[in-house]
């Protein structure tokens, strides 16, 4: 046991589908046996996680009867109590069954859309039963290959109708649940609607109950789109919309790898943890720290627990590195130097005729500003040295 071993107070959570991943890929079958959800809860608790998340069908089979469902859920709840584990987030599988092959909420057939919304209502009942307060929507198959099959305008409208309807359901039931929308640019579809966190943020602003809907950005998905996860998360935090997060790692230009957190793009991971923890001075993210990743296909079950511990330990190491970086006096000096010019304070106070006049009257020397070196090379090298553990 050392300072980086995870404890419940760290708020780490994993999906049943992550540590339960059996290592199937498009080219090969399973390499690990499927574990019982109860065993997964026990294993996660032993590793130091605080929470476990699930799709409805990770726990309750698609065609289970009501009494089967009750028995499964009862047994699962017992395990949660025994292991002191919570279910911070739940979600609905709208992608496995063949019925969803051309989407769920955006499918052309109204019967498919109706089935999808009804399935979500049941999944919301389950989520509430398990005490989850966040419900994620990942539109796995909401997209196209043959794009002429529907208008993208209609697709977005159908998506909005479904989310608005389900917000109504949660409100009527008085469930203490908010929604978090997860974007992904492609895979399994050729192109997915609402492909990035930025698209989601705008879509949310068009919803009837936008106050109860936020985002669930994923490192792998923003990276697949060639974007900066840190910038997307920053934008979500700035508008109070970071309701949940999917931490993992990804190489750019690849399929959705869902790798162990921090195993690729360490500097991106460092900057993300720095932002989430607020070590640079911003208000920290206080929600669950969820890992949506899985172990390499080379691993047996012991390797899966190594993987889970690795995600959590790397997060904690990076948190300590970020704290040291932001406490470094040379770092602070460079940052202060960059942020203190002759400031015109009026802009932040909002428009007024007087402030506009003051702005016009202000002496600003563009050449002097343009000639100034910003010391970003030094700043970045300091970050690298903190990251490599040779400073602080
Ligand atoms: C993926 C997605 C999923 C979702 C999960 C919860 O690429 O497979 O990230 O893992 O996060 O379905 O909605
Ligand atoms: Mn993913
Ligand atoms: Mn995800």
């Amino acid at each position: 046991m050392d300072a980086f071993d995870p404890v419940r107070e760290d708020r780490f959570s994993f999906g049943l589908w992550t540590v339960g991943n059996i290592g199937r890929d498009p080219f090969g079958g399973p390499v690990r046996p499927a574990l019982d959800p109860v065993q997964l809860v026990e294993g996660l608790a032993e590793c130091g996680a605080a929470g476990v998340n699930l799709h409805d069908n990770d726990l309750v089979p698609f065609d289970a009867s009501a009494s089967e469902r009750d028995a499964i859920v009862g047994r699962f709840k017992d395990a949660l109590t025994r292991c002191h584990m919570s279910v911070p987030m739940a979600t609905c599988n709208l992608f496995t069954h063949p019925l969803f092959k051309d989407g769920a909420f955006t499918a052309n057939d109204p019967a498919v859309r109706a089935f999808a919304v009804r399935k979500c209502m049941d999944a919301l009942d389950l989520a509430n039963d398990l005490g989850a307060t966040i419900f994620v929507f990942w539109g796995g198959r909401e997209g196209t290959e043959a794009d002429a099959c529907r208008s993208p305008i209609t697709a977005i409208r159908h998506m909005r109708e479904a989310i608005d309807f389900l917000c109504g359901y949660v409100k009527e039931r008085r469930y203490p649940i908010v929604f978090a929308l997860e974007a992904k640019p492609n895979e399994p579809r050729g192109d997915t609607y609402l492909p990035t966190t930025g698209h989601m943020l705008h879509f949310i602003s068009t919803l009837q109950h936008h106050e109860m809907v936020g985002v669930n950005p994923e490192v792998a998905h923003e990276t697949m789109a060639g974007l900066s996860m840190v910038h997307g998360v920053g934008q979500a935090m700035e508008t109070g919309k970071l309701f949940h997060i999917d931490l993992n790692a990804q190489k750019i230009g690849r399929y959705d790898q869902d790798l162990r957190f921090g195993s690729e793009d360490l500097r991106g991971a460092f900057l993300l943890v720095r932002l989430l923890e607020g070590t640079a001075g911003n208000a920290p993210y206080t929600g669950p720290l969820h890992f949506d990743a899985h172990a390499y296909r080379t691993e047996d079950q012991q390797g899966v627990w190594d993987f889970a511990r690795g995600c959590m330990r790397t997060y904690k190491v990076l948190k300590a590195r970020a704290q040291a970086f932001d406490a470094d006096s040379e770092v602070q000096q460079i940052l202060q130097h960059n942020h203190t010019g002759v400031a015109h304070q009026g802009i932040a106070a909002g428009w007024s005729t007087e402030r506009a006049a003051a702005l016009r009257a202000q002496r600003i020397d563009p050449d002097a500003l343009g000639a100034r070196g910003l010391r970003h090379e030094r700043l970045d090298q300091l970050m690298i040295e903190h990251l490599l553990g040779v400073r602080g």
Side-chain angles (χ1 to χ4, degrees):
M1 185 90 187
D2 66 17
F4 305 116
D5 267 345
V7 289
R8 301 173 40 71
E9 293 66 41
D10 294 321
R11 316 189 318 275
F12 292 133
S13 59
F14 286 81
L16 279 181
W17 70 93
T18 65
V19 284
N21 181 289
I22 54 177
R24 196 167 26 214
D25 71 15
F27 302 94
V31 294
R32 296 182 283 267
L35 292 196
D36 186 298
V38 168
Q39 287 176 292
L40 295 172
V41 168
E42 290 164 354
L44 282 173
E46 212 178 297
C47 287
V52 59
N53 301 322
L54 49 94
H55 301 85
D56 49 355
N57 302 137
D58 295 341
L59 183 63
V60 183
F62 184 86
D63 43 15
S65 68
S67 61
E68 282 164 351
R69 171 199 179 277
D70 291 348
I72 293 168
V73 174
R75 186 169 160 266
F76 188 68
K77 278 166 122 176
D78 287 346
L80 292 172
T81 312
R82 188 162 31 83
C83 297
H84 305 287
M85 292 278 279
S86 66
V87 177
M89 176 274 263
T91 179
C92 184
N93 182 324
L94 296 174
F95 42 88
T96 299
H97 195 283
L99 132 112
F100 299 127
K101 63 189 169 198
D102 192 27
F105 296 161
T106 64
N108 285 342
D109 190 329
V112 176
R113 300 202 298 277
F115 191 96
V117 168
R118 208 172 63 186
K119 190 171 192 291
C120 283
M121 285 159 55
D122 293 343
L124 279 160
D125 294 343
L126 175 65
N128 187 62
D129 194 8
L130 295 172
T133 55
I134 302 159
F135 194 86
V136 162
F137 286 101
W138 170 59
R141 298 207 184 263
E142 314 288 7
T144 56
E145 292 80 30
D147 227 69
C149 73
R150 86 177 64 78
S151 161
I153 297 175
T154 312
I156 299 297
R157 181 165 48 81
H158 283 156
M159 183 76 89
R160 181 181 304 107
E161 286 166 2
I163 301 286
D164 281 348
F165 194 91
L166 290 165
C167 282
Y169 184 71
V170 166
K171 285 177 94 73
E172 191 189 276
R173 292 282 166 123
R174 298 182 188 279
Y175 291 157
I177 289 178
V178 294
F179 292 167
L181 309 186
E182 176 177 346
K184 183 172 176 179
N186 58 277
E187 198 191 317
R189 301 313 297 271
D191 279 291
T192 315
Y193 299 118
L194 301 167
T196 70
T197 295
H199 288 79
M200 286 299 184
L201 285 170
H202 173 264
F203 174 70
I204 291 168
S205 72
T206 71
L207 296 174
Q208 202 179 349
H209 300 291
H210 54 85
E211 69 290 342
M212 62 180 283
V213 187
V215 290
N216 177 40
E218 174 171 317
V219 177
H221 301 176
E222 300 297 304
T223 307
M224 285 166 76
L227 301 176
S228 160
M229 171 74 171
V230 176
H231 289 193
V233 168
Q235 189 175 347
M237 286 172 85
E238 204 269 338
T239 45
K241 288 297 186 191
L242 187 66
F243 286 9
H244 197 259
I245 192 156
D246 276 3
L247 299 166
N248 55 19
Q250 171 78 24
K251 275 195 191 189
I252 202 161
R254 303 290 207 277
Y255 63 95
D256 185 25
Q257 295 177 298
D258 292 336
L259 298 167
R260 189 179 77 255
F261 180 62
S263 61
E264 293 290 342
D265 186 17
L266 254 187
R267 64 186 280 139
F270 170 88
L271 289 164
L272 180 60
V273 173
R274 180 179 185 239
L275 181 67
L276 294 173
E277 297 296 327
T279 62
N282 59 282
Y285 164 76
T286 54
L289 294 164
H290 173 237
F291 298 100
D292 185 9
H294 50 76
Y296 303 138
R297 198 165 179 270
T298 52
E299 302 309 290
D300 61 8
Q301 198 56 38
Q302 188 193 327
V304 171
W305 301 123
D306 289 342
F307 144 85
R309 281 203 185 82
C311 286
M312 297 187 278
R313 283 182 60 83
T314 299
Y315 187 98
K316 293 188 79 167
V317 173
L318 289 174
K319 179 175 169 181
R321 296 286 85 213
Q323 282 163 340
F325 175 72
D326 282 310
D328 186 320
S329 58
E330 195 179 344
V331 169
Q332 285 175 359
Q333 221 175 28
I334 297 174
L335 291 177
Q336 273 158 22
H337 170 77
N338 279 349
H339 291 292
T340 54
V342 210
H344 178 77
Q345 300 304 340
I347 297 170
W351 166 266
S352 78
T353 312
E354 296 69 36
R355 278 193 282 271
L359 182 64
R360 282 218 184 282
Q362 190 178 347
R363 279 169 55 91
I364 301 173
D365 181 348
D367 295 332
L369 289 177
R372 202 169 59 142
L374 300 183
R375 307 198 61 219
H376 287 184
E377 282 287 359
R378 180 67 187 150
L379 179 67
D380 202 72
Q381 180 63 22
L382 286 169
M383 189 186 89
I384 295 296
E385 292 189 14
H386 275 284
L387 199 44
L388 294 176
V390 295
R391 194 178 161 101

